[in-house]
Amino acid sequence: NDKSRAQVSILRDLYGKLLKEVSQSKEYRLLIDLQGRAESNEICIPDSIYGSMIRNLGNFNKIDAACELFEKAVEGKGTKAGLVTFEEGSCVLSVKGDWKRSVMLLQNMMELGIEPTMSVYGNIFSAFYRGGQLEGSMRLLI
C-alpha cells in the first residue's frame, strides 16, 4: 500500500543519511554494522553513499574493510554498484597494490556497461605499479 511504500522510502533516506554521516567519522565499526543492518533489511544503499563509505574507510586506513564493502557492492548486496562505487573501489585497490582485483573491477565495470573514467584507469595502473607488476599495466594499454 502507499503508506508502507512511503515508510520504506523514508527509512531508506534516513539510513542513507546516517551511513553518510557515520562514514565521515572515525566510527568505522559502527559503519560496517549499519551497512550490515541495511543489507539484512533489504535497504538499497545509493551508489554515492556506498562510494563515500568506501573512501572514508580508506582514509582511516581500513583498507580491508573498504575492500569488503566494495566487493559487496559489486556482488549487488544492498546496492547497485555505479560509477562512484567503482571509482572509490579502484582507489582503495590502488593503495593496497591489489592489481588482480583491479583487473576484476575493470571487467565488472565493462560487464555492467559502466564506462571507466580516467581516474579508474589511473588507479588501476597505480595498483599494478604498487603491486610490482609494471609490465602488466602496459598490457592494459594495448
Side-chain angles (χ1 to χ4, degrees), residues 101-120:
R101 280 196 210 161
S102 293
V103 170
M104 290 172 44
L105 173 143
L106 187 60
Q107 291 170 340
N108 286 331
M109 287 185 82
M110 292 180 176
E111 287 171 8
L112 293 170
I114 300 171
E115 185 72 29
T117 62
M118 292 305 292
S119 174
V120 170

Side-chain angles (χ1 to χ4, degrees), residues 70-134:
F70 172 68
E71 287 172 356
K72 285 182 180 184
V74 172
E75 292 170 4
K77 293 182 178 178
T79 191
K80 180 180 178 188
L83 182 58
V84 175
T85 299
F86 280 106
E87 283 183 335
E88 298 302 342
S90 70
C91 185
V92 169
L93 294 174
S94 166
V95 168
K96 194 169 182 174
D98 194 336
W99 61 272
K100 289 180 182 178
R101 280 196 210 161
S102 293
V103 170
M104 290 172 44
L105 173 143
L106 187 60
Q107 291 170 340
N108 286 331
M109 287 185 82
M110 292 180 176
E111 287 171 8
L112 293 170
I114 300 171
E115 185 72 29
T117 62
M118 292 305 292
S119 174
V120 170
Y121 279 116
N123 288 332
I124 291 170
F125 285 126
S126 178
F128 270 92
Y129 179 76
R130 289 180 179 176
Q133 298 292 324
L134 189 57

Side-chain angles (χ1 to χ4, degrees), residues 11-132:
L11 183 59
R12 284 183 178 158
D13 287 345
L14 288 173
Y15 248 111
K17 288 177 184 175
L18 183 59
L19 283 167
K20 190 168 187 173
E21 289 298 317
V22 172
S23 77
Q24 294 171 353
S25 74
K26 292 188 179 186
E27 297 297 325
Y28 70 92
R29 286 187 182 94
L30 179 58
L31 173 66
I32 293 169
D33 180 55
L34 285 172
Q35 184 275 335
R37 289 178 188 212
E39 180 181 302
S40 66
N41 288 299
E42 298 180 2
I43 295 173
C44 183
I45 301 168
D47 178 52
S48 60
I49 292 173
Y50 231 105
S52 175
M53 291 163 49
I54 293 166
R55 177 181 56 250
N56 286 306
L57 283 171
N59 289 344
F60 299 135
N61 205 28
K62 303 301 176 189
I63 304 301
D64 290 333
C67 286
E68 182 182 332
L69 282 182
F70 172 68
E71 287 172 356
K72 285 182 180 184
V74 172
E75 292 170 4
K77 293 182 178 178
T79 191
K80 180 180 178 188
L83 182 58
V84 175
T85 299
F86 280 106
E87 283 183 335
E88 298 302 342
S90 70
C91 185
V92 169
L93 294 174
S94 166
V95 168
K96 194 169 182 174
D98 194 336
W99 61 272
K100 289 180 182 178
R101 280 196 210 161
S102 293
V103 170
M104 290 172 44
L105 173 143
L106 187 60
Q107 291 170 340
N108 286 331
M109 287 185 82
M110 292 180 176
E111 287 171 8
L112 293 170
I114 300 171
E115 185 72 29
T117 62
M118 292 305 292
S119 174
V120 170
Y121 279 116
N123 288 332
I124 291 170
F125 285 126
S126 178
F128 270 92
Y129 179 76
R130 289 180 179 176

